[in-house]
Coordinates of all heavy atoms in Angstrom, one line a residue:
M1 N 118.7 70.9 -60.8 CA 118.2 71.0 -62.2 C 118.1 72.5 -62.6 O 117.6 73.3 -61.8 CB 116.8 70.4 -62.2 CG 116.1 70.5 -63.6 SD 114.4 69.9 -63.5 CE 114.6 68.7 -64.8
S2 N 118.6 72.8 -63.7 CA 118.6 74.2 -64.2 C 118.0 74.3 -65.5 O 118.4 75.1 -66.4 CB 120.0 74.8 -64.1 OG 120.8 74.0 -65.0
E3 N 116.9 73.5 -65.8 CA 116.3 73.5 -67.1 C 115.6 74.8 -67.3 O 114.9 75.4 -66.4 CB 115.2 72.4 -67.1 CG 114.6 72.2 -68.4 CD 113.6 71.0 -68.5 OE1 113.6 70.2 -67.5 OE2 112.9 70.9 -69.4
K4 N 115.8 75.4 -68.5 CA 115.2 76.6 -68.9 C 113.7 76.5 -69.1 O 113.2 75.5 -69.7 CB 115.8 77.2 -70.1 CG 115.4 78.5 -70.5 CD 116.1 79.0 -71.7 CE 115.6 80.4 -72.1 NZ 116.2 80.9 -73.3
L5 N 112.9 77.5 -68.6 CA 111.5 77.4 -68.8 C 111.1 77.8 -70.2 O 111.6 78.7 -70.8 CB 110.8 78.4 -67.9 CG 110.8 78.2 -66.4 CD1 110.3 79.3 -65.6 CD2 110.1 76.9 -66.1
K6 N 110.2 77.0 -70.8 CA 109.7 77.3 -72.1 C 108.7 78.5 -72.0 O 108.2 78.8 -70.9 CB 109.0 76.1 -72.7 CG 109.9 75.0 -73.0 CD 109.1 73.8 -73.6 CE 110.0 72.7 -74.0 NZ 109.2 71.5 -74.6
P7 N 108.4 79.2 -73.1 CA 107.4 80.2 -73.1 C 106.1 79.7 -72.7 O 105.8 78.5 -72.8 CB 107.4 80.8 -74.5 CG 108.7 80.3 -75.1 CD 109.0 79.0 -74.4
C8 N 105.2 80.5 -72.3 CA 103.8 80.1 -72.0 C 103.2 79.4 -73.1 O 103.2 79.9 -74.3 CB 103.0 81.4 -71.6 SG 101.3 81.0 -71.2
P9 N 102.5 78.3 -72.9 CA 101.9 77.5 -74.0 C 100.6 78.2 -74.5 O 100.1 77.9 -75.5 CB 101.5 76.2 -73.3 CG 101.4 76.5 -71.9 CD 102.4 77.6 -71.6
F10 N 100.1 79.2 -73.8 CA 98.9 79.9 -74.2 C 99.1 81.2 -74.9 O 98.5 81.5 -75.9 CB 97.9 80.1 -73.0 CG 97.5 78.8 -72.4 CD1 98.1 78.4 -71.2 CD2 96.6 78.0 -73.0 CE1 97.7 77.2 -70.6 CE2 96.2 76.8 -72.4 CZ 96.8 76.4 -71.2
C11 N 100.0 82.0 -74.3 CA 100.3 83.3 -74.9 C 101.7 83.5 -75.5 O 102.0 84.5 -76.2 CB 100.0 84.4 -73.9 SG 101.2 84.6 -72.6
G12 N 102.6 82.6 -75.2 CA 104.0 82.6 -75.7 C 104.9 83.6 -75.0 O 106.0 83.8 -75.4
K13 N 104.5 84.1 -73.9 CA 105.3 85.1 -73.1 C 106.1 84.4 -72.1 O 106.1 83.2 -71.9 CB 104.4 86.2 -72.5 CG 103.6 86.9 -73.5 CD 104.4 87.7 -74.5 CE 103.5 88.5 -75.4 NZ 104.2 89.3 -76.4
T14 N 106.8 85.2 -71.3 CA 107.8 84.7 -70.3 C 107.1 84.2 -69.0 O 106.1 84.8 -68.5 CB 108.7 85.9 -69.8 OG1 109.3 86.3 -71.0 CG2 109.7 85.4 -68.9
A15 N 107.6 83.1 -68.4 CA 107.1 82.5 -67.2 C 108.3 82.6 -66.1 O 109.4 82.7 -66.5 CB 106.7 81.1 -67.4
K16 N 107.9 82.6 -64.9 CA 108.8 82.6 -63.8 C 108.4 81.6 -62.7 O 107.3 81.2 -62.6 CB 108.9 84.0 -63.1 CG 109.5 85.0 -64.0 CD 109.7 86.3 -63.3 CE 110.3 87.4 -64.2 NZ 110.5 88.6 -63.4
V17 N 109.4 81.1 -62.0 CA 109.2 80.2 -60.8 C 108.9 81.1 -59.6 O 109.6 82.0 -59.3 CB 110.4 79.3 -60.6 CG1 110.2 78.5 -59.4 CG2 110.7 78.5 -61.8
F18 N 107.8 80.8 -58.9 CA 107.5 81.5 -57.7 C 107.6 80.5 -56.5 O 107.1 79.4 -56.5 CB 106.0 82.0 -57.7 CG 105.9 83.2 -58.6 CD1 105.7 83.1 -59.9 CD2 105.9 84.4 -58.0 CE1 105.5 84.2 -60.7 CE2 105.8 85.6 -58.8 CZ 105.6 85.4 -60.2
A19 N 108.2 81.0 -55.4 CA 108.3 80.2 -54.2 C 107.6 80.9 -53.1 O 107.7 82.1 -53.0 CB 109.8 80.0 -53.8
F20 N 106.7 80.2 -52.4 CA 105.9 80.8 -51.3 C 106.5 80.5 -49.9 O 107.2 79.5 -49.8 CB 104.5 80.2 -51.4 CG 103.9 80.4 -52.7 CD1 103.8 79.4 -53.6 CD2 103.3 81.6 -53.0 CE1 103.2 79.5 -54.9 CE2 102.7 81.8 -54.3 CZ 102.7 80.8 -55.2
S21 N 106.3 81.4 -49.0 CA 106.9 81.3 -47.7 C 106.4 80.0 -47.0 O 107.1 79.5 -46.1 CB 106.6 82.5 -46.8 OG 105.2 82.7 -46.7
E22 N 105.3 79.5 -47.3 CA 104.8 78.3 -46.7 C 105.5 77.0 -47.3 O 105.2 75.9 -46.8 CB 103.3 78.1 -47.0 CG 102.4 79.2 -46.4 CD 102.4 80.5 -47.3 OE1 102.6 80.4 -48.5 OE2 102.1 81.5 -46.7
G23 N 106.3 77.2 -48.3 CA 107.1 76.0 -48.8 C 106.7 75.6 -50.1 O 107.3 74.7 -50.7
G24 N 105.6 76.1 -50.7 CA 105.1 75.7 -52.0 C 105.9 76.4 -53.1 O 106.5 77.5 -52.9
I25 N 105.8 75.9 -54.3 CA 106.5 76.4 -55.5 C 105.6 76.2 -56.7 O 105.0 75.2 -56.8 CB 107.9 75.8 -55.6 CG1 108.7 76.6 -56.7 CG2 107.9 74.4 -55.9 CD1 110.2 76.2 -56.7
C26 N 105.6 77.1 -57.7 CA 104.9 76.9 -58.9 C 105.6 77.8 -60.0 O 106.4 78.6 -59.8 CB 103.4 77.3 -58.8 SG 103.1 79.1 -58.7
V27 N 105.1 77.5 -61.3 CA 105.6 78.3 -62.4 C 104.3 79.1 -62.9 O 103.2 78.5 -63.0 CB 106.1 77.4 -63.5 CG1 106.5 78.3 -64.7 CG2 107.3 76.6 -63.1
K28 N 104.5 80.4 -63.1 CA 103.4 81.2 -63.6 C 103.8 82.1 -64.7 O 104.9 82.7 -64.7 CB 103.0 82.1 -62.4 CG 101.8 83.0 -62.7 CD 101.4 83.9 -61.6 CE 100.6 83.2 -60.5 NZ 100.1 84.1 -59.5
C29 N 102.9 82.3 -65.7 CA 103.1 83.2 -66.8 C 103.0 84.6 -66.3 O 102.0 84.9 -65.5 CB 102.1 82.9 -67.9 SG 102.2 84.1 -69.3
M30 N 103.9 85.5 -66.7 CA 103.8 86.9 -66.2 C 102.8 87.8 -67.0 O 102.6 88.9 -66.7 CB 105.2 87.5 -66.3 CG 106.2 86.8 -65.4 SD 105.7 86.5 -63.7 CE 105.6 88.2 -63.2
T31 N 102.2 87.2 -68.1 CA 101.3 88.0 -68.9 C 99.9 87.5 -68.7 O 99.0 88.3 -68.4 CB 101.7 87.9 -70.4 OG1 103.0 88.3 -70.6 CG2 100.8 88.7 -71.3
C32 N 99.6 86.2 -68.9 CA 98.2 85.8 -68.8 C 97.9 85.1 -67.5 O 96.8 84.7 -67.2 CB 97.9 84.8 -70.0 SG 98.7 83.2 -69.9
Y33 N 98.9 84.9 -66.7 CA 98.8 84.4 -65.3 C 98.4 82.9 -65.2 O 98.0 82.5 -64.1 CB 97.9 85.3 -64.4 CG 98.4 86.7 -64.4 CD1 97.7 87.7 -65.1 CD2 99.6 87.1 -63.8 CE1 98.1 89.0 -65.1 CE2 100.0 88.4 -63.8 CZ 99.3 89.3 -64.4 OH 99.7 90.6 -64.4
C34 N 98.5 82.2 -66.2 CA 98.2 80.7 -66.1 C 99.4 80.2 -65.3 O 100.5 80.7 -65.3 CB 98.0 80.0 -67.4 SG 99.5 79.8 -68.4
Q35 N 99.2 79.1 -64.6 CA 100.2 78.5 -63.7 C 100.1 77.0 -63.6 O 99.1 76.5 -63.9 CB 100.2 79.2 -62.4 CG 99.1 78.8 -61.5 CD 99.1 79.4 -60.1 OE1 99.4 80.6 -60.0 NE2 98.9 78.7 -59.1
T36 N 101.2 76.4 -63.1 CA 101.2 75.0 -62.8 C 100.5 74.9 -61.4 O 100.2 75.8 -60.7 CB 102.6 74.5 -62.7 OG1 103.3 75.1 -61.6 CG2 103.4 74.6 -64.0
F37 N 100.4 73.6 -61.0 CA 100.0 73.3 -59.6 C 101.1 73.8 -58.6 O 102.2 74.1 -59.0 CB 99.8 71.8 -59.4 CG 101.0 71.0 -59.9 CD1 102.1 70.8 -59.1 CD2 101.1 70.6 -61.3 CE1 103.2 70.1 -59.6 CE2 102.2 69.9 -61.7 CZ 103.2 69.6 -60.9
V38 N 100.7 74.0 -57.4 CA 101.7 74.4 -56.4 C 102.2 73.1 -55.7 O 101.4 72.2 -55.3 CB 101.0 75.3 -55.3 CG1 102.0 75.6 -54.2 CG2 100.5 76.6 -55.9
E39 N 103.5 72.9 -55.7 CA 104.1 71.7 -55.2 C 105.0 72.0 -54.1 O 105.5 73.1 -54.0 CB 104.9 71.0 -56.4 CG 105.5 69.7 -56.0 CD 104.5 68.6 -55.7 OE1 103.7 68.2 -56.5 OE2 104.6 68.1 -54.5
S40 N 105.3 71.0 -53.2 CA 106.3 71.2 -52.2 C 107.1 70.0 -52.0 O 106.7 68.9 -52.4 CB 105.6 71.6 -50.8 OG 104.8 70.5 -50.4
D41 N 108.3 70.1 -51.4 CA 109.2 69.0 -51.3 C 108.6 68.0 -50.2 O 109.0 66.8 -50.3 CB 110.6 69.5 -50.9 CG 111.3 70.0 -52.0 OD1 111.1 69.6 -53.2 OD2 112.2 70.9 -51.8
W42 N 107.8 68.4 -49.3 CA 107.3 67.5 -48.3 C 105.9 66.9 -48.6 O 105.3 66.2 -47.8 CB 107.2 68.3 -47.0 CG 106.5 69.6 -47.0 CD1 107.1 70.8 -47.2 CD2 105.1 69.8 -47.0 NE1 106.1 71.8 -47.3 CE2 104.9 71.2 -47.1 CE3 104.0 69.0 -46.8 CZ2 103.6 71.8 -47.1 CZ3 102.7 69.6 -46.8 CH2 102.6 71.0 -46.9
S43 N 105.5 67.1 -49.8 CA 104.2 66.5 -50.3 C 104.2 65.0 -50.2 O 105.1 64.4 -50.8 CB 103.8 67.0 -51.7 OG 102.7 66.3 -52.2
I44 N 103.2 64.4 -49.6 CA 103.1 62.9 -49.6 C 102.8 62.4 -51.0 O 102.9 61.2 -51.2 CB 102.1 62.4 -48.5 CG1 100.7 63.0 -48.8 CG2 102.6 62.8 -47.1 CD1 99.7 62.4 -47.9
A45 N 102.3 63.2 -51.9 CA 101.9 62.8 -53.2 C 103.1 62.7 -54.1 O 103.0 62.2 -55.2 CB 100.9 63.7 -53.8
N46 N 104.3 63.1 -53.6 CA 105.5 63.1 -54.4 C 106.2 61.7 -54.4 O 107.2 61.5 -53.8 CB 106.5 64.2 -53.9 CG 107.6 64.4 -54.8 OD1 107.8 63.7 -55.8 ND2 108.5 65.3 -54.5
A47 N 105.6 60.7 -55.0 CA 106.1 59.4 -55.1 C 107.3 59.2 -56.0 O 108.1 58.3 -55.8 CB 105.0 58.4 -55.5
E48 N 107.5 60.2 -56.9 CA 108.6 60.1 -57.8 C 109.9 60.6 -57.2 O 111.0 60.4 -57.8 CB 108.3 61.0 -59.0 CG 107.1 60.5 -59.8 CD 106.6 61.6 -60.8 OE1 107.2 62.7 -60.8 OE2 105.6 61.3 -61.4
K49 N 109.9 61.1 -56.0 CA 111.1 61.6 -55.3 C 111.9 62.6 -56.0 O 113.1 62.7 -56.0 CB 112.0 60.4 -54.9 CG 111.3 59.3 -54.1 CD 110.8 59.8 -52.8 CE 110.2 58.6 -52.0 NZ 109.3 59.1 -51.0
K50 N 111.1 63.5 -56.8 CA 111.8 64.6 -57.4 C 111.6 65.8 -56.5 O 110.6 65.9 -55.8 CB 111.1 64.9 -58.8 CG 111.3 63.8 -59.8 CD 110.6 64.2 -61.1 CE 110.8 63.1 -62.2 NZ 110.1 63.4 -63.4
S51 N 112.4 66.8 -56.7 CA 112.2 68.0 -55.9 C 111.0 68.8 -56.5 O 110.6 68.6 -57.6 CB 113.5 68.9 -56.0 OG 113.5 69.6 -57.3
A52 N 110.4 69.6 -55.7 CA 109.3 70.4 -56.1 C 109.6 71.3 -57.3 O 108.8 71.4 -58.2 CB 108.8 71.3 -54.9
Y53 N 110.8 71.8 -57.3 CA 111.3 72.6 -58.4 C 111.3 71.8 -59.7 O 110.8 72.2 -60.7 CB 112.7 73.2 -58.1 CG 113.2 74.0 -59.3 CD1 112.9 75.4 -59.4 CD2 114.0 73.4 -60.2 CE1 113.4 76.1 -60.5 CE2 114.5 74.2 -61.3 CZ 114.2 75.5 -61.4 OH 114.7 76.2 -62.5
E54 N 111.8 70.6 -59.6 CA 111.9 69.7 -60.8 C 110.5 69.4 -61.3 O 110.3 69.4 -62.5 CB 112.6 68.4 -60.5 CG 114.1 68.6 -60.3 CD 114.8 67.3 -59.9 OE1 114.2 66.6 -59.0 OE2 115.8 67.0 -60.4
K55 N 109.6 69.1 -60.4 CA 108.2 68.7 -60.8 C 107.5 69.9 -61.5 O 106.8 69.7 -62.5 CB 107.5 68.2 -59.6 CG 107.9 66.9 -59.2 CD 107.0 66.3 -58.1 CE 105.8 65.8 -58.8 NZ 104.9 65.0 -57.9
V56 N 107.6 71.1 -61.0 CA 106.8 72.2 -61.6 C 107.4 72.6 -62.9 O 106.7 73.0 -63.9 CB 106.6 73.4 -60.7 CG1 105.8 73.0 -59.5 CG2 107.9 74.0 -60.2
V57 N 108.8 72.6 -63.0 CA 109.4 73.0 -64.3 C 109.1 71.9 -65.3 O 108.8 72.2 -66.5 CB 110.9 73.2 -64.1 CG1 111.7 73.3 -65.5 CG2 111.2 74.4 -63.3
E58 N 109.2 70.6 -65.0 CA 108.8 69.6 -65.9 C 107.4 69.7 -66.4 O 107.1 69.5 -67.5 CB 109.0 68.2 -65.2 CG 108.8 67.0 -66.1 CD 109.1 65.7 -65.3 OE1 110.2 65.4 -65.2 OE2 108.1 65.2 -64.8
A59 N 106.5 70.0 -65.5 CA 105.1 70.2 -65.8 C 104.9 71.3 -66.7 O 104.1 71.3 -67.7 CB 104.2 70.3 -64.6
W60 N 105.5 72.5 -66.5 CA 105.4 73.7 -67.3 C 105.9 73.4 -68.7 O 105.4 73.8 -69.7 CB 106.2 74.8 -66.7 CG 106.0 76.1 -67.5 CD1 106.9 76.5 -68.4 CD2 104.9 77.0 -67.5 NE1 106.4 77.7 -69.0 CE2 105.2 78.0 -68.4 CE3 103.7 77.0 -66.8 CZ2 104.3 79.0 -68.7 CZ3 102.9 78.1 -67.0 CH2 103.2 79.1 -68.0
N61 N 107.1 72.7 -68.8 CA 107.7 72.5 -70.1 C 107.1 71.4 -70.9 O 107.4 71.2 -72.1 CB 109.2 72.3 -69.9 CG 109.9 73.5 -69.5 OD1 109.5 74.6 -69.7 ND2 111.1 73.4 -68.9
R62 N 106.2 70.6 -70.3 CA 105.6 69.5 -71.0 C 104.6 70.1 -72.1 O 103.8 71.0 -71.8 CB 104.9 68.6 -70.1 CG 104.3 67.4 -70.7 CD 103.7 66.4 -69.8 NE 103.0 67.0 -68.6 CZ 103.4 66.8 -67.3 NH1 104.4 66.0 -67.1 NH2 102.7 67.4 -66.4
R63 N 104.6 69.5 -73.3 CA 103.7 70.0 -74.3 C 103.1 68.7 -75.0 O 103.6 67.7 -75.0 CB 104.5 70.7 -75.4 CG 105.2 72.0 -75.0 CD 104.1 73.1 -74.6 NE 104.7 74.4 -74.3 CZ 105.1 74.8 -73.1 NH1 105.0 74.1 -72.1 NH2 105.6 76.0 -73.0
A64 N 101.8 68.9 -75.5 CA 101.1 67.8 -76.1 C 101.8 67.5 -77.4 O 102.5 68.4 -78.1 CB 99.7 68.3 -76.4
E65 N 101.8 66.3 -77.8 CA 102.3 65.8 -79.1 C 101.6 66.5 -80.2 O 100.4 66.7 -80.2 CB 102.2 64.3 -79.3 CG 103.1 63.6 -78.3 CD 104.6 63.8 -78.4 OE1 105.0 63.9 -79.5 OE2 105.2 63.8 -77.4
Q66 N 102.3 66.9 -81.3 CA 101.7 67.6 -82.4 C 101.1 66.6 -83.3 O 101.4 65.5 -83.6 CB 102.8 68.3 -83.2 CG 103.5 69.4 -82.5 CD 102.5 70.6 -82.2 OE1 101.5 70.8 -83.0 NE2 102.8 71.3 -81.2

């Protein structure tokens, strides 16, 4: 999945994907530092069988209905 990250929902600035050496991954705003949950591919809570990258990008890009 190569979906582009939307701007931060709080400040409108740029976000990046962070990968941790322990295997976790999250998306974080580079300005206000809000972030998604930390997800990993081996998480037992991952019943949807999506990659950790897909889950955090999908969560970051999700917006409330107007």
Side-chain angles (χ1 to χ4, degrees):
M1 174 185 241
S2 60
E3 186 175 348
K4 184 177 178 183
L5 293 173
K6 291 182 179 179
C8 177
F10 299 105
C11 71
K13 302 296 182 180
T14 303
K16 292 186 178 181
V17 176
F18 284 85
F20 303 101
S21 59
E22 298 84 19
I25 190 169
C26 73
V27 177
K28 182 184 280 190
C29 174
M30 302 308 297
T31 302
C32 71
Y33 303 110
C34 72
Q35 71 178 46
T36 63
F37 50 88
V38 176
E39 182 65 62
S40 65
D41 284 330
W42 49 267
S43 171
I44 60 172
N46 189 357
E48 299 164 0
K49 304 298 181 202
K50 293 181 180 177
S51 74
Y53 178 85
E54 289 175 316
K55 287 187 78 168
V56 296
V57 169
E58 182 179 278
W60 181 265
N61 287 341
R62 184 174 36 240
R63 299 293 189 266
E65 295 295 323
Q66 295 291 337

